[in-house]
Structure formats: structure tokens, C-alpha cells
């Protein structure tokens, strides 16, 4: 294996070379500097020749060739090529302008050069997590050895940081000190964590963001975060010989001071991005509480409850392929019976719900999960809830809320949407939740049949009749009163049905709106009604 670094590096200490030399049966060092080359050979740490000065050259750099001592490592010693390659590639991200050429034993050549530094490494790390970012623009910070604002006599710190929040359920903090990967963290990582917590808190307070019913922790703030931090310290103090942890206590305060101010200002300057980040954090906090409540509920059950127990009211489909399977949550047993007759038994499952489900916005997660109807939904979906949520275990690729096309039906849909947004946000973000749009009217004009969603849709159809025939208008009292053939044609048949996919447009605004309209405090709802009452048409009110 041959490694060539085509750049001039300043080596601060030679400890690594001393050790390699002592443990090698042969080693040769060549240095090109000041217009000449200099070389010397060693064996097991001892010089085998005097320093040789070569002819004139414009080349600059260092080459080290060594052969490990087989008496120490054995004759079957082999380098981990992938590990060496990955370490070299990481160095090229950490040092802008550095070009590293890697050649393996077979002669294959690979170059590593990243002019933008660690900002080019971040997308790679996010891709490895396998989850999309919450916001498009990453936060970047670079400070080049400014004087410490707290202690002006302290040696300056050089810092580079890039970070971005993703939908991943865990955090990934990758830190380096003086170009060395600090896998066990240390003072610089502690300073980063503190600055993240304080910057997010500062933004929430500055913007007056109201987060009701949940307490945000530092772990919630870091959930989904992918961050890369590189610092350069004048006198680094590492823990252990492998240097996996930075122990300089003053670095924590320096990192916190630099990052907190810059990150909080960045959030204030990019409010749409900041809102998406805060909404992600709120979702993490609610998921954590829901997971804790679910864990407590499971611990109270017997061993048999760990088996897959589907709800008794569920009429499951024959297919076990989530990509083609659909679950319809139907209002009432009567409508559920109708839907069972209208469905495609191979791919469509029906779960009737009894009355209006619980408003989870006014209940603690532990209380919400005690509700039988909501628990039936969770059991039928199979993907878990809270921290145990795993979308890969989802039994149905599409979940439809199928309610009557009246005020009560809209209310039940709103309650279910609140449940999914608060307790199963991953399904909403992934686009698995849909609102079915069953018709309120059937209009027969001659041999033509039209379906109308509401009064406005009915009037549009009637206006288009143009006196061709006398319209026959039928209003459905509910899904239970609709013929199964009509329900199949208008609402269940994938080729003819109408439905809306539920998406989140403005996560923070959505979170606040649900809190105001569905929460315990009636004052926000009163203000909402008073503000919008002048625009309400008396004909639209269901009294």
C-alpha cells in the first residue's frame, strides 16, 4: 500500500513517526524543502545511514515508507485498506486545499480533494442516515482564531461547524480536534451541545413561540441533528494515547460562545427554516412522551400482549403487501358494514370506529393510549408509536379517514387528524394519511349520474344541466344510508374515488393551530371565531 500526500504539511510533533519507526523493521523518510531533498533510512528505530542531501528540486512535501516488524506483529499482518482510505478521505475534508492521492497494493489510484471542507462532508453523512433533511439550507460557521471574548489572554480557537436537522430518530455528532477524530467527544462537543440548547431556547423566547402541553429537553433538540465540528487548539490535551477525547476545559466555553450567538442569529434571520426546526423538535418531544406512556402501558400488560393482536372489529384484507394494502377508518358500525360490502377484500381493510374519538390535544399521552378506539388504530397499523415507531412495520401503505360528509363527520376527521399529527407524526410526514371525500349528493340528470361533495358542488352540477332533463337530487344522510355500490364507485374504487393526501405546510403554524383549536384553553378559539365570524355565510353554518 502506498500513500502519497501532494501537499506541504506542518508537523507539530513527531510522536507518531517515532512509534512507527520503533515498530518497523525498515523505514525511510524523504523530505523535500528549501529547494533540496533530504532522506534517511532506519531499522527498528535506529538510523542505518547519515542524512543524505539530494540535488536541487522545486518539489515540497514528505514521503514515509515503512515495513512493520514481523517479529512484533507476526508474518500475517495486513492493513485494513478501507480504514486507511476513510481516514485519508476525512483528512481531505478537514483541510481545505489539501489533495491526497491514495494508491493500493494493486495500483488503483484515488484522489481526495474537497475545496469546501466539511460542508461537503455533511450531505454525505445525511445520506448515510437515510432520512431527508428538515430544512434545505445547512447552518455553517467558520471562525479563524479570534481572541477569546471571555479571556483575551487565552490562546485563540479556530473552529469550523456545519449542521442540519433531519427526520432521523437519532443524533449524529462528529467531532475533530486538530484534525484528529474525537470519537469520545470532550470539551468541544460539550460546548456544542450547550450552545444548541441555548440558541434554540433563545429563538423560541425571542419569537414568542408557544409550545403547549410538552416540555422540550436537550435530547429533543438534538434528535435528528447531523453535525460536524472541527476545532484547532494551540495546546490540546487529549485523553489516552488514542486521543479520542479532548480534555481542555476552556474549549467548552469558547465553542459555546462562538456557536450560540451565530446560531441564534441565523435562526432569527431565517424564520421559515427556524420554524421547521422548532416544529421538528416539538414533534420529537411529543413522540418521547408518547413513547414513555406506551412503555408504561406495555409494562402493565401480561406476556401474551406482546403477540400481534389485531382489533376484533378489523376486517383485514387478504394482501400482506403494504404497497397495495389500504386501511379505511370508518365512522360507526353501520357505515363500517356498508364499507365492508363495498371494499375490495384483497387489498382494502375496514376498521369501524365508535362515535367521536378522544381529543388527544386535551389529554396526556398516557391517558390517550388508554382509549380503546385509538389503541385499536395503533394495533391495526402495526408500526408502533412514539420512540418505538417504525414505519417499515406499517401494515398498510395508505390510511383513509372515511367519515360522513357533514359537520359531525368533519369533526371526527379533525379529531383523528389531531391524533395522527400528535401521536403518529411519521405517518403524516411520509404521506400515508388521506382524507376520503364521499359525496353528499347524488344527482341524476337523464341517463347521467353526478356526485356532489357539498351544496356548492351540487349547485354547480345543477347549473350545468341547462334544462336537458329534470334533475333528481338525493341527499345521503350518511355512509350507512348509501348503497354499497355507490360507496364503492365514489369512495373506495382507486380508479374513480376522490381523496386528499394530508400534508404539513408550515409545521410550526400547524402545531400552534392545533394547539389553539383543539387544546384546553377556550380563549384562542373564541378569538378565532370573532376574527372569522364576519366572513362566515349563514348558509354555511350547521346549527
Amino acid at each position: 500500500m502506498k500513500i502519497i500526500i501532494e501537499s506541504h504539511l506542518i508537523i507539530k510533533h513527531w510522536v507518531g513517526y517515532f512509534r512507527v519507526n520503533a515498530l518497523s523493521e525498515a523505514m525511510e523518510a524523504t523530505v523535500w524543502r528549501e529547494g533540496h531533498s533530504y532522506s534517511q533510512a532506519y531499522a527498528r528505530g535506529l538510523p542505518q545511514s547519515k542524512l543524505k542531501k539530494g540535488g536541487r528540486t522545486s518539489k515540497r512535501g514528505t514521503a514515509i515508507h515503512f515495513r512493520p516488524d514481523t517479529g512484533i506483529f507476526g508474518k500475517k499482518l495486513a492493513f485494513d485498506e478501507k480504514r486507511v482510505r476513510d481516514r485519508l478521505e476525512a483528512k481531505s475534508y478537514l483541510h481545505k486545499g489539501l489533495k491526497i492521492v491514495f494508491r493500493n497494493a494493486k495500483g488503483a489510484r484515488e484522489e481526495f480533494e474537497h475545496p469546501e471542507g466539511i460542508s461537503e462532508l455533511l450531505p454525505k453523512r445525511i445520506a448515510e442516515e437515510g432520512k431527508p433533511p428538515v430544512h434545505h439550507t445547512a447552518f455553517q460557521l467558520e471562525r479563524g482564531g479570534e481572541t477569546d471574548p471571555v479571556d483575551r489572554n487565552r490562546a485563540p480557537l479556530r473552529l469550523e461547524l456545519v449542521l442540519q436537522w433531519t427526520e432521523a430518530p437519532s443524533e449524529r455528532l462528529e467531532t475533530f480536534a486538530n484534525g484528529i477524530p474525537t470519537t469520545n467527544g470532550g470539551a468541544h462537543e460539550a460546548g456544542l451541545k450547550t450552545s444548541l440548547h441555548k440558541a434554540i431556547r433563545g429563538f423560541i423566547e425571542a419569537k414568542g413561540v408557544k409550545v403547549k402541553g410538552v416540555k422540550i429537553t436537550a435530547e429533543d433538540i438534538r434528535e435528528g441533528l447531523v453535525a460536524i465540528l472541527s476545532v484547532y487548539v494551540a495546546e490540546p490535551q487529549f485523553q489516552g494515547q488514542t486521543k479520542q477525547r479532548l480534555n481542555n476545559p476552556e474549549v467548552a466555553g469558547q465553542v459555546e460562545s462562538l456557536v450560540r450567538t451565530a446560531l441564534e442569529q441565523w435562526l432569527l434571520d431565517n424564520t421559515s427554516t427556524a420554524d421547521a426546526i422548532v416544529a421538528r423538535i416539538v414533534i420529537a418531544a411529543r413522540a418521547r412522551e408518547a413513547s414513555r406512556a406506551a412503555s408504561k402501558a406495555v409494562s402493565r400488560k401480561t406476556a401474551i400482549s406482546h403477540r400481534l393482536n389485531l382489533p376484533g372489529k378489523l376486517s383485514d384484507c387478504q394482501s400482506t403487501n403494504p404497497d397495495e394494502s389500504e386501511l379505511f377508518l370508518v365512522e360507526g358500525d353501520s357505515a363500517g358494514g356498508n364499507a365492508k360490502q363495498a371494499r375490495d377484500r384483497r387489498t382494502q381493510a375496514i376498521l369501524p370506529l365508535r362515535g367521536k374519538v378522544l381529543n388527544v390535544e386535551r389529554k396526556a399521552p398516557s391517558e390517550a393510549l388508554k382509549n380503546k378506539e385509538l389503541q385499536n388504530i395503533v394495533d391495526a397499523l402495526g408500526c408502533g408509536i412514539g420512540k418505538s415507531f417504525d414505519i417499515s412495520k406499517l401494515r398498510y401503505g395508505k390510511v383513509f379517514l372515511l367519515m360522513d360528509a357533514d359537520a359531525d363527520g368533519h369533526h371526527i376527521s379533525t379529531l383523528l387528524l389531531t391524533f395522527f399529527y400528535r401521536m403518529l407524526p411519521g405517518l403524516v410526514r411520509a404521506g400515508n394519511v388521506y382524507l376520503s371525500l364521499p359525496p353528499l349528493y347524488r344527482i341524476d340528470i337523464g341517463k347521467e349520474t353526478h356526485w356532489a361533495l357539498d351544496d356548492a358542488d351540487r349547485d354547480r352540477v345543477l347549473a350545468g344541466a341547462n334544462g336537458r332533463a329534470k334533475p333528481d337530487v338525493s341527499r345521503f344522510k350518511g355512509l350507512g344510508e348509501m348503497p354499497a355500490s355507490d360507496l364503492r364507485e365514489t369512495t373506495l374504487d382507486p380508479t374513480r374515488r376522490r381523496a386528499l393526501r394530508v400534508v404539513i405546510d408550515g409545521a410550526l403554524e400547524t402545531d400552534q393551530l392545533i394547539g389553539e383549536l383543539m387544546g384546553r384553553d377556550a380563549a384562542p378559539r373564541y378569538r378565532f371565531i370573532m376574527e372569522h365570524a364576519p366572513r362566515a355565510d349563514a348558509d354555511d353554518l350547521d346549527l
Side-chain angles (χ1 to χ4, degrees):
M1 183 181 298
K2 187 175 183 181
I3 302 169
I4 300 177
I5 302 178
E6 298 179 356
S7 175
H8 180 66
L9 295 178
I10 298 176
I11 308 299
K12 185 175 180 61
H13 55 74
W14 292 82
V15 176
Y17 290 94
F18 287 144
R19 291 171 180 166
V20 171
N21 192 7
L23 300 175
S24 298
E25 58 186 36
M27 175 174 161
E28 182 178 356
T30 303
V31 178
W32 295 273
R33 59 179 297 177
E34 299 174 355
H36 292 275
S37 65
Y38 303 86
S39 62
Q40 190 171 22
Y42 305 86
R44 296 183 173 87
L46 300 177
Q48 300 300 299
S49 64
K50 294 183 178 181
L51 182 65
K52 299 178 181 179
K53 182 177 180 181
R56 299 287 300 179
T57 179
S58 59
K59 190 174 181 179
R60 302 181 66 192
T62 302
I64 304 292
H65 297 83
F66 67 94
R67 186 169 61 250
D69 191 340
T70 55
I72 298 174
F73 297 104
K75 295 183 179 181
K76 295 183 178 180
L77 173 67
F79 287 98
D80 185 341
E81 181 177 320
K82 182 180 182 304
R83 184 177 181 183
V84 174
R85 180 204 173 280
D86 292 345
R87 282 291 184 93
L88 292 176
E89 186 179 22
K91 295 291 185 184
S92 68
Y93 285 109
L94 293 170
H95 303 282
K96 295 180 180 180
L98 173 65
K99 179 181 179 181
I100 298 179
V101 179
F102 172 63
R103 297 192 185 102
N104 63 13
K106 297 179 180 179
R109 186 177 188 275
E110 195 171 0
E111 290 186 5
F112 305 118
E113 186 175 15
H114 299 282
E116 301 301 320
I118 60 174
S119 62
E120 293 186 52
L121 179 59
L122 183 64
K124 181 178 179 180
R125 293 294 184 252
I126 291 176
E128 291 172 355
E129 291 298 301
K131 297 293 182 180
V134 172
H135 50 103
H136 298 295
T137 304
F139 171 75
Q140 301 183 43
L141 177 65
E142 185 172 353
R143 292 290 184 265
E146 290 90 341
T147 303
D148 190 319
V150 178
D151 184 355
R152 305 190 70 85
N153 295 320
R154 183 180 294 166
L157 176 79
R158 186 154 67 90
L159 174 148
E160 290 181 66
L161 170 67
V162 289
L163 58 83
Q164 198 165 3
W165 274 265
T166 72
E167 298 286 359
S170 57
E171 65 182 83
R172 180 169 181 172
L173 306 183
E174 193 169 350
T175 60
F176 300 85
N178 290 29
I180 300 170
T182 46
T183 54
N184 291 338
H188 54 331
E189 184 173 310
L192 173 61
K193 290 180 177 179
T194 302
S195 65
L196 288 168
H197 187 258
K198 290 185 177 180
I200 293 293
R201 288 287 187 186
F203 170 78
I204 291 176
E205 292 176 5
K207 285 294 183 178
V209 178
K210 297 180 181 179
V211 181
K212 296 183 178 180
V214 66
K215 182 179 180 181
I216 294 176
T217 66
E219 289 73 20
D220 299 328
I221 291 174
R222 297 197 305 272
E223 181 176 307
L225 179 68
V226 178
I228 302 170
L229 171 66
S230 175
V231 299
Y232 292 88
V233 185
E235 298 294 336
Q237 300 172 14
F238 292 104
Q239 177 179 321
Q241 296 299 324
T242 55
K243 304 179 182 178
Q244 294 179 333
R245 183 180 178 85
L246 182 66
N247 281 350
N248 296 62
E250 73 280 1
V251 172
Q254 290 176 299
V255 171
E256 178 191 337
S257 177
L258 292 172
V259 175
R260 177 190 176 183
T261 303
L263 179 57
E264 186 172 343
Q265 188 60 50
W266 180 78
L267 292 170
L268 292 170
D269 293 340
N270 300 272
T271 54
S272 59
T273 296
D275 288 347
I277 293 171
V278 173
R280 170 71 178 87
I281 292 168
V282 171
I283 289 172
R286 296 191 188 282
R288 172 180 48 79
E289 293 194 355
S291 177
R292 183 173 57 185
S295 299
K296 291 181 179 178
V298 168
S299 65
R300 292 194 296 267
K301 296 180 180 179
T302 59
I304 196 171
S305 68
H306 292 281
R307 299 173 56 189
L308 178 61
N309 294 317
L310 296 176
K313 289 187 175 183
L314 174 68
S315 296
D316 207 359
C317 57
Q318 297 169 353
S319 174
T320 57
N321 181 4
D323 293 335
E324 65 178 6
S325 300
E326 302 175 342
L327 174 64
F328 287 82
L329 305 178
V330 186
E331 174 189 351
D333 291 336
S334 176
N338 220 8
K340 292 174 187 177
Q341 296 180 47
R343 68 173 174 145
D344 178 349
R345 293 175 178 271
R346 194 182 72 83
T347 61
Q348 294 177 331
I350 307 296
L351 179 60
L353 301 176
R354 182 180 178 183
K356 293 183 178 179
V357 298
L358 186 72
N359 181 0
V360 300
E361 190 68 13
R362 302 185 188 181
K363 299 290 183 179
S366 57
E367 294 183 59
L369 290 173
K370 293 178 183 178
N371 182 266
K372 181 64 175 176
E373 301 300 311
L374 298 182
Q375 189 61 58
N376 283 344
I377 296 174
V378 175
D379 292 341
L381 294 174
C383 57
I385 196 168
K387 292 288 186 180
S388 62
F389 174 79
D390 184 356
I391 199 169
S392 66
K393 296 180 180 179
L394 181 65
R395 302 180 66 243
Y396 309 96
K398 294 180 179 179
V399 182
F400 291 87
L401 312 186
L402 178 52
M403 312 300 152
D404 290 344
D406 56 18
D408 281 342
H410 297 330
H411 186 202
I412 295 173
S413 294
T414 303
L415 291 169
L416 285 171
L417 287 174
T418 304
F419 164 71
F420 276 100
Y421 182 77
R422 290 302 190 208
M423 310 293 283
L424 290 162
L427 288 187
V428 181
R429 294 199 298 270
N432 296 104
V433 182
Y434 294 78
L435 278 173
S436 293
L437 299 177
L440 186 60
Y441 294 98
R442 171 175 175 156
I443 306 171
D444 292 302
I445 305 175
K447 294 183 179 181
E448 297 179 358
T449 299
H450 301 266
W451 308 97
L453 296 177
D454 50 31
D455 291 350
D457 201 13
R458 175 203 60 190
D459 295 341
R460 181 188 57 79
V461 173
L462 293 176
N466 293 324
R468 287 175 293 167
K470 184 179 179 180
D472 182 13
V473 182
S474 303
R475 187 184 192 277
F476 299 114
K477 295 181 180 179
L479 297 175
E481 302 296 326
M482 184 184 297
S485 58
D486 289 351
L487 184 60
R488 180 186 304 111
E489 177 182 348
T490 62
T491 314
L492 294 178
D493 185 350
T495 63
R496 292 182 287 182
R497 69 191 178 196
R498 286 190 281 187
L500 297 175
R501 172 179 275 178
V502 179
V503 298
I504 301 174
D505 184 12
L508 189 56
E509 293 84 352
T510 302
D511 187 87
Q512 292 178 327
L513 186 63
I514 289 178
E516 291 176 358
L517 299 185
M518 306 300 291
R520 291 178 178 274
D521 189 0
R525 289 189 290 280
Y526 175 79
R527 289 195 300 269
F528 180 87
I529 292 172
M530 296 304 294
E531 290 174 3
H532 294 82
R535 288 182 285 173
D537 191 324
D539 294 335
D540 295 332
L541 299 178
D542 191 341
L543 301 175

